[in-house]
Amino acid sequence: MCLGIPGEVVEIHVDRADLATVDVSGVKRAINIGLLEDGEVGPGDWVLIHVGFAMSKIDEAEAKAALDFLESIGQAYEDEMAALLESQIE
């Protein structure tokens, strides 16, 4: 099962506008935001992430509901977190 996981944008990379640092349950990672419209996200916004790519912008309430759900289903959430930890954009 492939899941999207919510993350809060911490910063947009100055040298690479297609990258942002996000915080996902305390894990900070660079993700690709190139699939979103230019200027669509900024620090404090929430995005839905799958394997290192922001798929869409979501609001904070939707992010919290998604995280609560993901944590409740156990292994699929752990698998998605593991995929996020293994992903790295250079």
Side-chain angles (χ1 to χ4, degrees):
M1 174 187 291
C2 295
L3 300 173
I5 193 161
E8 183 176 11
V9 176
V10 176
E11 70 175 326
I12 305 298
H13 292 214
V14 176
D15 57 335
R16 296 242 348 237
D18 63 332
L19 296 181
T21 298
V22 297
D23 184 323
V24 178
S25 299
V27 176
K28 291 186 179 163
R29 266 294 185 253
I31 62 156
N32 189 304
I33 57 172
L35 297 175
L36 304 176
E37 296 290 324
D38 288 342
E40 185 175 353
V41 297
D45 288 332
W46 288 84
V47 291
L48 196 60
I49 305 161
H50 179 66
V51 194
F53 288 85
M55 305 306 290
S56 63
K57 181 179 173 180
I58 58 176
D59 64 33
E60 188 172 359
E62 186 178 357
K64 181 177 178 354
L67 281 171
D68 289 346
F69 171 74
L70 290 171
E71 289 171 356
S72 77
I73 60 174
Q75 189 60 49
Y77 174 72
E78 296 300 323
D79 291 346
E80 191 69 15
M81 285 299 293
L84 178 67
L85 287 170
E86 291 173 7
S87 68
Q88 196 164 26
I89 299 172
E90 298 182 22

